[in-house]
């Protein structure tokens, strides 16, 4: 399987972005390759296209399955397993966000809760706890907000994003109206 320069460029960029999404470069390339292919691919096709070992593909598939980003397809009469994205681009983005929340945000919130519940022994610890409480409150707010965003349909989310700065204008108007009351 040979990639056109345009597709290869995209796949390589996905590899670079992979580290920013919480994956390694190869996993990012695999996601990019699977997303832009109309039909599911075998592990051998993935290995050939990305010029990586079949073992590397197997490990990458396992990682992508743990993130729930790929699904296995079987073709009647063919013993090979074929892999495709597990949903739309929006579904994949939600799954990445959810997995990152579980792996990064939730443990941080747990640590912060434990530290805040512990009694402060010194003024320095009291100040540190106040700062930790602020971080905790921010993360809780962002987590609740993002959970609400994840419940929106892609169309609703696009409409919300198109509002852009208009949202802040609505909030300013609300604040002005409440001050007059």
């Amino acid at each position: 399987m040979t990639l056109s320069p345009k597709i290869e460029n995209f796949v390589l960029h996905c590899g670079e972005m992979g580290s920013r999404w919480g994956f390694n470069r190869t996993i990012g390339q695999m996601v990019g390759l699977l997303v832009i292919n109309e039909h599911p691919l075998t592990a051998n096709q993935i290995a050939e296209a990305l010029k990586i070992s079949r073992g590397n593909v197997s490990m990458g598939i396992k990682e992508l399955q743990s993130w729930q980003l790929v699904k296995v397809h079987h073709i009647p009469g063919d013993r090979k397993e074929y892999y495709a994205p597990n949903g739309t681009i929006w579904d994949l983005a939600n799954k990445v966000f959810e997995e990152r929340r579980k792996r990064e945000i939730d443990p941080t919130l747990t640590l912060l809760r434990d530290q805040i519940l512990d009694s402060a022994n010194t003024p320095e610890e009291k100040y540190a706890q106040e700062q930790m409480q602020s971080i905790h409150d921010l993360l809780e707010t962002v987590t609740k907000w993002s959970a609400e965003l994840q419940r929106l349909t892609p169309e609703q989310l696009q409409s919300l994003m198109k509002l852009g700065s208009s949202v802040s204008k609505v909030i300013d108007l609300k604040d002005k109206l409440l001050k007059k009351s």
Side-chain angles (χ1 to χ4, degrees), residues 6-179:
K6 182 179 296 239
I7 292 173
E8 183 177 35
N9 203 16
F10 173 78
V11 168
L12 291 174
H13 180 73
C14 288
E16 297 307 314
M17 292 304 297
S19 62
R20 294 175 182 98
W21 298 334
F23 314 124
N24 68 35
R25 183 175 47 98
T26 302
I27 304 268
Q29 289 177 352
M30 289 173 67
V31 169
L33 181 65
L34 292 171
V35 163
I36 60 167
N37 269 282
E38 187 174 359
H39 303 288
L41 301 174
T42 66
N44 287 338
Q45 289 172 313
I46 295 168
E48 182 184 332
L50 299 179
K51 299 175 181 74
I52 59 175
S53 73
R54 177 69 174 73
N56 204 349
V57 171
S58 292
M59 291 187 320
I61 293 292
K62 284 184 178 122
E63 178 74 9
L64 290 171
Q65 287 174 324
S66 79
W67 283 74
Q68 300 175 31
L69 296 176
V70 296
K71 61 184 173 183
V72 179
H73 285 273
H74 293 281
I75 297 173
D78 190 344
R79 295 178 52 208
K80 296 180 201 132
E81 292 185 331
Y82 291 80
Y83 302 95
N86 190 15
T88 66
I89 297 299
W90 289 99
D91 295 332
L92 298 179
N94 271 334
K95 287 175 182 152
V96 169
F97 188 82
E98 184 63 24
E99 283 299 313
R100 292 204 63 184
R101 182 192 57 78
K102 286 181 198 171
R103 295 170 189 225
E104 299 166 22
I105 305 281
D106 289 354
T108 302
L109 284 170
T110 299
L111 173 103
L112 290 168
R113 282 186 205 105
D114 291 347
Q115 295 301 314
I116 293 165
L117 290 174
D118 236 5
S119 298
N121 296 319
T122 65
E124 291 85 10
E125 284 184 357
K126 177 137 179 63
Y127 177 78
Q129 278 184 319
E130 290 167 0
Q131 294 300 96
M132 285 185 240
Q133 183 69 55
S134 295
I135 295 167
H136 175 273
D137 294 347
L138 171 66
L139 288 176
E140 277 284 324
T141 301
V142 168
T143 300
K144 287 177 184 172
W145 178 72
S146 64
E148 289 300 318
L149 290 178
Q150 284 183 285
R151 287 187 187 97
L152 297 176
T153 65
E155 296 77 22
Q156 290 171 321
L157 190 55
Q158 282 180 330
S159 294
L160 178 63
M161 292 187 323
K162 285 179 182 176
L163 288 174
S165 64
S166 300
V167 172
S168 64
K169 291 175 187 171
V170 170
I171 293 170
D172 290 342
L173 178 61
K174 176 201 70 113
D175 290 344
K176 288 176 185 174
L177 290 172
L178 289 177
K179 285 181 185 177

